């Protein structure tokens, strides 16, 4: 009566190990990525692994449950595969990853424009109205969704918090009504509105900026002052544009 014999003890292990590999995240903003690994073997201990695919390939190394890898250059979908080896020398076939990942290194672009509540553009960029409609929009060449924005500046609703971008209509435009902070009496003050867009990969746009001079002071009804008022508004418009580009 021979009974059961351990195949490993007698060198009979011919069963290849198996396992899985998957990306830790669905999208990356750089070529540095991480994969998660699981493995098993019916008879012998899994001892080594190596990786290949749209990455910098690795040679045989000790098994691990996570591994930092380098994605191949160029934005787009990346795949990974893995091979295992056990203590008896059995090797698995290449095992395709259960997930893919997207490399997105391009920054979105942000745009901002200012309007009065009646929909009229603030021209010249001097306004007596604190209520301002801020129209924000973005362009993202990768079009992967999950866009957020920060809108901050010289208005009461200013915030440095990231907010999910939910467009009003269409794809990438949103209008927000805010209240510019009031200047002191008889003071013309530039009011700045600043916008940053962040895509799902974490890429942030260059800050976009717009401004206008808030002038709540009523002009005096004197003919002698009319030209002066016009010149002041033109100069305010010019200074606002220059300062927005300088500070933006």
């Amino acid at each position: 009566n021979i009974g059961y014999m351990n195949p490993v003890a007698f060198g009979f292990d011919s069963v290849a190990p198996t396992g899985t590999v998957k990306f830790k995240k669905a999208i990356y903003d750089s070529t540095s990525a991480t994969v998660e690994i699981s493995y098993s073997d019916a008879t012998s201990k899994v001892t080594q692994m190596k990786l290949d695919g749209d990455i910098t390939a690795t040679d045989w190394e000790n098994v691990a449950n996570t591994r930092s890898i380098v994605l191949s250059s160029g934005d787009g979908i990346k795949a990974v595969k893995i091979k295992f080896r056990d203590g008896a020398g059995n090797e698995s076939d290449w095992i395709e990853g259960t997930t893919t990942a997207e490399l997105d290194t391009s920054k979105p672009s942000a745009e901002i424009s200012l309007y009065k509540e009646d929909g009229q553009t603030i021209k010249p960029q001097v306004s007596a109205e604190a209520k301002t409609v801020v129209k924000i929009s973005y362009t993202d060449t990768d079009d992967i969704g999950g866009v957020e924005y920060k809108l901050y500046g010289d208005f009461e609703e200013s915030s440095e918090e990231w907010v999910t971008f939910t467009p009003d209509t269409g794809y990438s435009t949103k209008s927000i009504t805010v209240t510019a902070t009031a200047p002191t009496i008889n003071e013309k003050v530039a009011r700045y509105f600043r916008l940053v867009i962040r895509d799902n990969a974490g890429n942030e746009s260059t800050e976009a900026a717009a401004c206008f001079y808030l002038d709540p002071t009523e002009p005096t009804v004197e003919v002698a002052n009319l030209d002066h008022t016009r010149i002041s508004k033109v100069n305010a418009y010019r200074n606002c544009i220059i300062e927005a580009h300088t500070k933006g």
Side-chain angles (χ1 to χ4, degrees), residues 20-24 34-38 64-67 82:
T20 62
V21 61
K22 64 179 181 179
F23 286 98
K24 188 173 183 178
T34 302
V35 291
E36 298 177 333
I37 301 160
S38 64
N65 293 120
T66 60
R67 175 67 155 84
I82 195 167

Side-chain angles (χ1 to χ4, degrees), residues 136-138 147-149 163-167 171-174 197:
I136 63 175
S137 61
Y138 71 90
V147 173
E148 298 176 308
Y149 70 91
V163 180
T164 300
F165 194 108
T166 52
Y171 170 58
S172 61
T173 301
K174 181 179 183 68
I197 296 290

